[in-house]
Amino acid sequence: MKIRAATCIACTFAALALAADPKATPEEARKFVNDAEQKLLLLGVDAARADWIKSTYITDDTEAVAAKLDEKAIAATVTYAKQATRFDGLKLDAETARKLKLLKLSLTIATPADPKESEELTRIVSGMEGTYGKGKYCPSGPASCKDLEELSKVLAESRDPKILREAWIGWHAIAKPIRQDFVRYVALANKGARQLGFKDNGAMWRSKYDMAPDDFSRELDRLWEQVKPLYLSLHAYVRSRLHEKYGDAVPAGGAIPADLLGNMWAQDWDNIYPLIAPANADPGYDLTALLQKHNMDWKQMVKYGEGFFTSLGFAPLPETFWERSLFLKPKDRDVVCHASAWDIDTLNDVRLKMCIEITGEDFLTVHHELGHNFYQRAYSKLPPSFRDSANDGFHEAVGDTIALSITPEYLVRIGLLDRAPDTSKDIGLLLHKALEKIAFLPFGLVIDQWRWKVFSGEIPPEKYNQTWWQLRQKYQGIAPPDPEGAPRTEADFDPAAKYHVAANVPYMRYFLADILQFQFHRALSQAAGCTGPLNRCSIYGNKEAGAKLNAMLEMGQSRPWQDALEKIAGTRQMDATAIRDYFAPLQKWLDEQNKGKPVGW
Ligand code: X8Z
Ligand code: ZN
């Protein structure tokens, strides 16, 4: 559990505004918050080190030690946040006011005041992540065990419905034991959030976006409405191709079974590209095959990622990055393989934790993670309170923005591809990208639609699984695998088969990032002077684009995110026109293919 990972931003913080102290002075407030940020920094570094050890070596002991240090850091933050209310209503300088706001909003989990409950909550969160990290499917004894990486490979590569179904069900079984802990986690996290003045833990998460939480929810609805037509077109096309392949297992006008889309969570569908590729517009290369053909190893993959950033003018990663990161899955112990980027001391000790495999997907993920690390380095010169992204969607969008520049022309430039496909192949390229980016949109939305309702009590424990699938159906048009007489029930706990649910990581950030990265890509491509179609623009080697990106990154969260967005994209609104522009030719093509076929479910 990274307690500092998802810091956040100001907005309305009404409930705590009650305890203001008439004797408090602006000078005291300034001293208080500067003192708090230094103390919390030290506690945060200790917790981050323990979390690192736990995540790269899961044992009962490492879990317990990490939980203890997390608890210390969180409890101290909660105490400071409560004390900070004495300065409510005071006229303060802008920097102090923002620091105080951020302090109150900086947690993704608030521990309750009762020490026993506080300890219990951090132990549960640490334990749930550990259970996920250790999860394996063992169909016939210990020698038969498969971990998530192996099961994901089955989902990606097999086209045999029976095998796919077994791998899917096998993985989802690891989440069943998490359910009981999750119920308690919801109760305790809500208690902590309420003691801090929020309605519940979900409301606390929604308060981090420099606008009223309800306005934020409305923003999400607006963005989803902007992109929904694109998703519906893609869904209809994919469904009809899968119907041809799998017959009535994929109903012509209904939801698609989740195990047939190439990914354990059906969150991106690029692994089934070969099944649905257009005959006359296939770009003719596959990134995984290219990497393997060039005998790429993990280090070269990371070096290519770093090389992209240095080509933009960023300083190379420090030597300690290479010494301290975890790049490969160890054979002898359990680790949390889910990729993440760390900044242990918020200064220079940045690290990658990933179980790299030589695939196109992991090549992109390396760029995603390095985006976090270069962001962390860019804002490291700011006061501790401001060392985070403008909002959490920004943090998730940076590396993906760079990855959008991995165009065929870029691959030719770095010597991986001999010749770029001509523009007649753009539909193939766009379709492949849409399986990654458009397919993801409703998934990015649905996880926290579910969790917010869980935290608010609208979804009680006895309806956890049922409502999960209702929402998955509503937003994604996805259904559980063919039940073959064994439908999903409340004995299952499918949401926690996804890392972020088990590990208490908010998810709406990825939906925002999916939209933002296209805004960033369009703006940086313009800065780089690219006038062609957006999917062929690469900012590689362009210092103007690099400077523009850096100007935004080095602001950290010192200003509201709207200011940061304006800096890079010239607008103060998150907006889906960029992603729609990018895919406009594909949308037209999909709608032609879908003529006479059902759309929606
Ligand atoms: O969790 C991640 C990153 C780490 S921040 C690997 N992502 C989401 C996921 O895997 O579900 C990146 C895309 C969405
Ligand atoms: Zn990320």
Side-chain angles (χ1 to χ4, degrees):
M1 175 188 3
K2 279 196 280 171
I3 56 111
R4 221 188 25 238
T7 339
C8 40
I9 318 273
C11 59
T12 51
F13 195 85
L16 281 184
L18 300 170
D21 174 354
K23 291 195 289 293
T25 66
E27 181 49 30
E28 262 181 88
R30 206 175 55 80
K31 203 181 155 312
F32 167 84
V33 82
N34 289 345
D35 194 43
E37 68 178 353
Q38 290 305 330
K39 295 242 166 62
L40 292 176
L41 177 61
L42 295 180
L43 291 171
V45 175
D46 286 348
R49 284 192 207 290
D51 280 342
W52 174 268
I53 297 169
K54 178 203 77 172
S55 297
T56 57
Y57 201 145
I58 310 173
T59 69
D60 291 344
D61 294 323
T62 59
E63 258 177 41
V65 172
K68 204 164 210 72
L69 290 171
D70 283 342
E71 191 201 342
K72 258 179 98 169
I74 296 168
T77 311
V78 169
T79 304
Y80 279 123
K82 287 177 183 165
Q83 290 171 354
T85 55
R86 36 185 308 256
F87 306 111
D88 285 345
L90 259 190
K91 196 153 173 40
L92 301 168
D93 65 274
E95 182 170 324
T96 302
R98 183 146 183 91
K99 283 182 178 177
L100 281 169
K101 247 177 186 175
L102 293 172
L103 169 65
K104 294 167 182 171
L105 291 165
S106 66
L107 293 168
T108 49
I109 193 151
T111 46
D114 180 309
K116 266 177 98 179
E117 289 180 338
S118 166
E119 201 230 289
E120 186 185 0
L121 178 58
T122 45
R123 280 297 287 267
I124 286 176
V125 175
S126 194
M128 291 194 301
E129 189 187 6
T131 304
Y132 183 98
K134 288 184 287 198
K136 287 177 192 64
Y137 167 52
C138 307
S140 47
S144 69
C145 292
K146 284 197 167 76
D147 60 25
L148 177 60
E149 289 64 46
E150 292 166 296
L151 294 167
S152 291
K153 204 166 147 61
V154 175
L155 262 289
E157 291 174 3
S158 173
R159 306 291 180 236
D160 179 334
K162 274 205 152 51
I163 291 177
L164 289 167
R165 184 173 173 279
E166 185 190 348
W168 191 98
I169 290 177
W171 174 252
H172 281 72
I174 68 104
K176 288 185 197 188
I178 296 177
R179 179 188 270 264
Q180 216 184 347
D181 279 344
F182 194 87
V183 175
R184 186 79 183 134
Y185 145 83
V186 169
L188 292 174
N190 276 340
K191 192 163 186 180
R194 283 179 190 133
Q195 288 173 0
L196 257 185
F198 297 95
K199 224 164 78 213
D200 59 60
N201 199 47
M204 186 167 95
W205 289 3
R206 287 192 299 280
S207 299
K208 298 169 187 247
Y209 295 94
D210 286 315
M211 53 172 72
D214 290 349
D215 289 345
F216 179 61
S217 296
R218 270 191 291 279
E219 275 296 274
L220 297 173
D221 292 343
R222 181 181 65 78
L223 292 168
W224 173 232
E225 288 305 320
Q226 270 189 300
V227 291
K228 204 163 146 190
L230 205 43
Y231 181 72
L232 287 174
S233 301
L234 180 71
H235 180 280
Y237 173 73
V238 168
R239 179 176 57 193
S240 85
R241 299 303 304 261
L242 292 180
H243 180 68
E244 285 164 26
K245 162 93 187 150
Y246 292 113
D248 286 340
V250 181
I256 306 172
D259 55 337
L260 302 181
L261 287 159
N263 172 277
M264 189 58 83
W265 308 277
Q267 68 182 69
D268 43 49
W269 308 343
D270 37 316
N271 287 319
I272 59 159
Y273 176 77
L275 278 184
I276 64 160
N280 52 1
D282 185 45
Y285 75 88
D286 163 59
L287 191 48
T288 300
L290 284 184
L291 297 170
Q292 290 173 356
K293 187 176 122 192
H294 286 83
N295 289 322
M296 190 78 68
D297 60 20
W298 66 263
K299 187 154 191 182
Q300 284 167 291
M301 293 205 350
V302 183
K303 282 280 175 198
Y304 274 117
E306 182 191 35
F308 203 120
F309 283 92
T310 53
S311 88
L312 299 175
F314 290 89
L317 290 162
E319 208 37 55
T320 49
F321 170 87
W322 300 99
E323 291 160 7
R324 297 175 188 171
S325 291
L326 178 104
F327 298 105
L328 293 173
K329 185 178 174 93
K331 290 199 170 56
D332 59 341
R333 64 181 198 264
D334 286 317
V335 303
V336 178
C337 268
H338 189 87
S340 53
W342 298 57
D343 63 340
I344 300 280
D345 61 358
T346 76
L347 292 173
N348 211 29
D349 189 351
V350 291
R351 305 180 192 178
L352 170 62
K353 178 182 69 58
M354 189 170 166
C355 302
I356 298 178
E357 295 181 25
I358 312 305
T359 64
E361 193 176 335
D362 275 8
F363 192 63
L364 299 181
T365 301
V366 164
H367 288 74
H368 173 96
E369 297 306 336
L370 292 188
H372 289 305
N373 288 136
F374 280 93
Y375 208 158
Q376 289 154 355
R377 275 160 76 68
Y379 57 58
S380 68
K381 295 159 211 91
L382 296 174
S385 300
F386 298 152
R387 292 179 199 159
D388 207 332
S389 53
N391 71 37
D392 53 6
F394 280 61
H395 228 313
E396 298 304 334
V398 173
D400 283 7
T401 303
I402 299 304
L404 287 176
S405 276
I406 304 181
T407 57
E409 289 72 15
Y410 168 71
L411 294 173
V412 170
R413 226 168 132 183
I414 62 171
L416 287 182
L417 184 64
D418 294 335
R419 213 158 33 88
D422 63 49
T423 50
S424 70
K425 305 292 190 265
D426 268 19
I427 289 299
L429 287 168
L430 287 170
L431 182 58
H432 195 282
K433 217 15 116 200
L435 294 174
E436 215 188 292
K437 303 294 181 186
I438 303 300
F440 182 79
L441 288 162
F443 183 79
L445 208 57
V446 79
I447 293 204
D448 283 351
Q449 294 292 352
W450 181 81
R451 261 191 305 197
W452 293 349
K453 289 187 163 71
V454 166
F455 286 127
S456 78
E458 190 182 329
I459 298 179
E462 61 276 14
K463 290 199 176 144
Y464 276 175
N465 222 52
Q466 171 194 338
T467 49
W468 170 252
W469 285 108
Q470 280 163 359
L471 288 168
R472 297 263 275 164
Q473 157 113 11
K474 175 177 166 194
Y475 285 100
Q476 285 185 282
I478 300 286
D482 179 6
E484 281 193 6
R488 308 307 285 168
T489 70
E490 294 303 325
D492 303 301
F493 188 34
D494 296 326
K498 177 69 193 162
Y499 170 75
H500 305 70
V501 175
N504 184 49
V505 181
Y507 208 81
M508 202 53 81
R509 55 184 66 179
Y510 301 106
F511 174 74
L512 300 179
D514 208 353
I515 308 272
L516 282 168
Q517 63 190 259
F518 287 89
Q519 284 186 270
F520 296 171
H521 177 66
R522 185 169 64 181
L524 295 178
S525 295
Q526 272 162 12
C530 182
T531 51
L534 281 174
N535 69 309
R536 294 289 184 133
C537 285
S538 177
I539 61 166
Y540 181 68
N542 190 286
K543 299 283 189 295
E544 284 78 30
K548 201 171 179 59
L549 176 61
N550 187 51
M552 188 270 277
L553 300 186
E554 67 184 12
M555 287 170 72
Q557 62 173 348
S558 61
R559 309 275 317 145
W561 64 260
Q562 289 88 342
D563 291 12
L565 185 57
E566 191 163 24
K567 186 122 214 157
I568 186 169
T571 166
R572 300 181 65 81
Q573 260 210 332
M574 291 191 269
D575 169 52
T577 58
I579 189 169
R580 283 177 55 157
D581 280 1
Y582 187 103
F583 288 107
L586 181 73
Q587 168 100 58
K588 198 160 157 273
W589 182 86
L590 287 171
D591 291 345
E592 276 158 27
Q593 313 301 309
N594 290 337
K595 272 206 185 107
K597 296 194 178 120
V599 174
W601 48 88

